[in-house]
Amino acid sequence: MGCLGRVTSTGGITPGRTGEVMVAIRGGVESFLARDVNGGAIEPYTEVVVVEYQPPRLVLVTPLSQET
């Protein structure tokens, strides 16, 4: 949790649809299935923060605010 990532070009997140993010973790980058923590939409290439991990390979994310 708290790791930074980016929504993939084909993995846009929409309500009711699981998308894909690439997350910087363990000294590399790994792909995870992802959903918006608030149930909304997140466009491809958006930078996100992982809020929760759900095994085996799903993360709940929120867009990284511009102020951060």
Side-chain angles (χ1 to χ4, degrees):
M1 290 183 283
C3 296
L4 298 179
R6 184 178 301 269
V7 179
T8 64
S9 61
T10 58
I13 300 167
T14 58
R17 180 177 180 266
T18 300
E20 181 185 42
V21 294
M22 299 300 287
V23 178
I25 188 169
R26 293 187 284 264
V29 178
E30 297 183 22
S31 68
F32 288 85
L33 296 175
R35 293 189 183 134
D36 180 24
V37 71
N38 297 314
I42 304 176
E43 296 295 318
Y45 303 108
T46 302
E47 289 186 279
V48 294
V49 177
V50 175
V51 176
E52 184 178 331
Y53 169 72
Q54 297 180 350
R57 203 90 182 141
L58 176 73
V59 291
L60 299 180
V61 298
T62 190
L64 184 64
S65 67
Q66 296 298 324
E67 296 88 43
T68 306

